[in-house]
Amino acid sequence: MPHQPNLSPSAQVPLWRQLQGAASVLLAVRDGQSMTPALEDVDAQLRPGVQALAFHALRWLGRAEALRQQLAKRPPPPEADALLCVALALACAEEAAPYTAHTLVDQAVEAAKRSDATLHQASFINGCLRRFLRERDALMALTEKSPQAVWNHPQWWIDRVRKDHPTQWQDILRANNSRAPLILRINERKTTPAQYLQALLAMDIGAFPTGEHGVVLTEARPVTSLPGFAEGHFSVQDAAAQLAAPLLLDGLTAAGDGRLNILDACAAPGGKTAHLLELADCDVTALDIDARRCERIAQNLARLGLQAHIVVGDASRPGDWWDGRLYDGILLDAPCTASGIVRRHPDVRWLRRPTDIAQLAAIQARLLATLWPLLKPGGRLVYCTCSVFRAEGEQQAQAFAASHLDAVLMPSPGHLLPQGSVKGAVFPDNLMREHDGFYYAVLQKRSA
């Protein structure tokens, strides 16, 4: 997904057109569609502005919906409701609002008038928004009673995070509503973080190191404009995800020929595959069920100057793709709710359903049980998810270790909770200050 742009008015594109686009994205999300394909349907010239407004609207959607309920007891038709909620989301946070409230109202009404789907609701939208401007303080105070409005997450999600992390739930939800910075992983086969920071400094681009291989940009910008992009000097990867490859490789020793045989299950788009190849001379099988996403792996590896054995296949059916050679290491970045990467994908919280957690946990358990026999005695499997829910992390790993007597749960990072932001004092040696939510378990197979 493209990195979220800054909220800034586009000189070429009138705001009403961007508001129409953001409303169409919200409509798609409410219809159960991910934001990424919804944005691809938006005209290319409009896309950066629409994406910025849609990100903002989805971060404030809980508050916007609560305000809309105060302003109109019965929701208007879906298209008009989406436009109204986008405008309220953009107007309700004065300190973070990208435009003045009066500009927003004027342009939202213009957007309504310019579409057949909302034309007949233009005066209703105008009335709601003008009433909001008049009664802002009183209406905002009324919505304070709703946790969904205060935290901008569905109620079930708030309850679940609170149950799983009773002392840190507010920090997690707060971090989810912050904007994630652009984080790079430096390709150590081409350059070093210190050298790359110098290259950025020479171009007047603010950045600081994070972890062993990471660099955080103080301001997001198009990755293709950064030094060394075409030459494969870096990849975009969150700091939490950068822990996967070192955790797997740590303590692994190859047999006679000196090359480790590693499986990256569920590998697309290939960030962790590439990191493994950057850090060690190893044979990596990059497996993914989606053929188009496997093409992405190939493209990413080609830019970095790396090679893996890319296989289209279902990780839960090794009979279809496995050659019978046991692996020294297996990386299982399992399908999950993505509840840890909400700040990068603010639509996730509105797309998920409470039942998704158990369904995904069942898939995770099946993948662990299926891939474990493919691991050599003495080998290790790293299980990870970009989730903060314990059912997809700690509970999953402990249940697996309890039911597999040859599995030893090694010292592992466990649940990493989302941390933001890059503002304020910077402690470059402290990885734990800027990353998404993640879970890691390292499972060692007992030697026979």
Side-chain angles (χ1 to χ4, degrees):
M1 176 167 188
H3 195 82
Q4 61 218 47
N6 289 319
L7 280 165
S8 59
S10 167
Q12 303 83 16
V13 183
L15 178 55
W16 65 263
R17 286 193 66 198
Q18 295 180 55
L19 288 168
Q20 282 183 337
S24 74
V25 171
L26 175 55
L27 208 54
V29 169
R30 283 176 164 174
D31 206 32
Q33 190 185 347
S34 162
M35 184 177 175
T36 309
L39 277 166
E40 283 165 10
D41 291 341
V42 174
D43 178 77
Q45 189 196 11
L46 280 171
R47 200 173 299 140
V50 167
Q51 185 177 331
L53 294 180
F55 263 82
H56 191 99
L58 287 162
R59 287 202 178 101
W60 287 88
L61 186 60
R63 181 76 74 174
E65 289 182 341
L67 286 168
R68 204 271 299 135
Q69 284 168 7
Q70 295 294 333
L71 293 163
K73 297 304 176 198
R74 285 177 55 205
E79 292 86 357
D81 191 54
L83 180 58
L84 177 57
C85 284
V86 164
L88 287 168
L90 293 165
C92 68
E94 280 183 288
E95 69 287 353
Y99 302 95
T100 68
H102 288 284
T103 301
L104 271 168
V105 172
D106 176 66
Q107 292 293 291
V109 174
E110 189 66 22
K113 287 177 180 170
R114 299 261 193 156
S115 164
D116 290 343
T118 51
L119 174 61
H120 298 299
Q121 301 294 324
S123 61
F124 165 79
I125 288 171
N126 184 39
C128 286
L129 291 174
R130 293 201 181 279
R131 185 182 152 206
F132 170 69
L133 295 189
R134 287 195 310 274
E135 303 173 27
R136 176 198 290 272
D137 293 348
L139 288 164
M140 290 291 278
L142 283 169
T143 61
E144 282 293 318
K145 296 177 184 140
S146 156
Q148 188 162 313
V150 172
W151 296 106
N152 289 292
H153 285 69
Q155 186 63 52
W156 71 265
W157 189 300
I158 298 168
D159 295 341
R160 186 78 186 215
V161 173
R162 192 171 185 169
K163 177 170 166 278
D164 281 0
H165 304 281
T167 60
Q168 291 159 302
W169 66 277
Q170 293 185 338
D171 293 333
I172 294 169
L173 298 177
R174 225 175 262 123
N176 284 353
N177 288 328
S178 68
R179 294 181 49 186
L182 182 59
I183 302 183
L184 311 178
R185 186 192 73 243
I186 305 308
N187 180 357
E188 299 269 357
R189 295 205 177 237
K190 301 278 181 106
T191 184
T192 67
Q195 287 170 333
Y196 195 74
L197 283 164
Q198 284 299 314
L200 291 173
L201 188 64
M203 289 179 67
D204 232 12
I205 298 171
F208 60 89
T210 184
E212 280 192 51
H213 314 285
V215 166
V216 183
L217 269 66
T218 50
E219 220 170 280
R221 53 185 66 220
V223 289
T224 50
S225 71
L226 295 173
F229 173 76
E231 296 79 14
H233 287 191
F234 68 86
S235 302
V236 174
Q237 189 179 45
D238 184 77
Q242 290 185 31
L243 295 175
L247 276 172
L248 184 62
L249 293 169
D250 183 35
L252 279 189
T253 48
D257 65 356
R259 285 181 77 81
L260 292 166
N261 182 29
I262 291 177
L263 171 67
D264 184 359
C266 317
K272 297 179 185 72
T273 301
H275 201 191
L276 288 164
L277 293 164
E278 286 165 16
L279 296 179
D281 291 318
C282 51
D283 295 320
V284 179
T285 299
L287 177 77
D288 201 89
I289 198 165
D290 186 325
R292 270 189 42 213
R293 281 165 60 80
C294 280
E295 285 170 26
R296 285 272 308 282
I297 300 176
Q299 289 161 6
N300 287 333
L301 292 182
R303 182 178 64 82
L304 297 164
L306 302 166
Q307 274 189 308
H309 179 46
I310 300 170
V311 179
V312 180
D314 182 344
S316 68
R317 299 179 58 174
D320 297 347
W321 50 264
W322 185 44
D323 64 4
R325 277 177 68 213
L326 291 173
Y327 295 103
D328 298 294
I330 296 175
L331 177 59
L332 173 56
D333 184 0
C336 71
T337 56
S339 58
I341 56 173
V342 173
R343 57 187 197 148
R344 293 186 190 281
H345 300 275
D347 53 334
V348 166
R349 67 188 105 176
W350 308 114
L351 289 168
R352 287 285 173 225
R353 298 290 171 263
T355 49
D356 292 346
I357 301 173
Q359 286 171 0
L360 285 157
I363 292 168
Q364 293 151 10
R366 189 167 75 244
L367 287 170
L368 275 167
T370 304
L371 294 174
W372 187 248
L374 279 54
L375 187 65
K376 276 182 189 170
R380 60 169 46 185
L381 182 150
V382 168
Y383 167 77
C384 58
T385 59
C386 52
S387 175
V388 296
F389 297 141
R390 292 199 186 278
E392 300 184 281
E394 184 181 81
Q395 291 166 11
Q396 188 72 263
Q398 287 177 349
F400 179 81
S403 62
H404 291 75
L405 297 179
D406 59 348
V408 183
L409 195 50
M410 304 292 284
S412 310
H415 279 283
L416 301 176
L417 305 180
Q419 308 275 325
S421 76
V422 298
K423 291 190 183 73
V426 170
F427 305 101
D429 58 337
N430 180 6
L431 171 72
M432 309 321 276
R433 70 177 301 281
E434 183 51 77
H435 57 72
D436 290 339
F438 236 80
Y439 175 80
Y440 280 107
V442 180
L443 293 152
Q444 187 100 20
K445 193 176 232 184
R446 293 183 198 277
S447 297

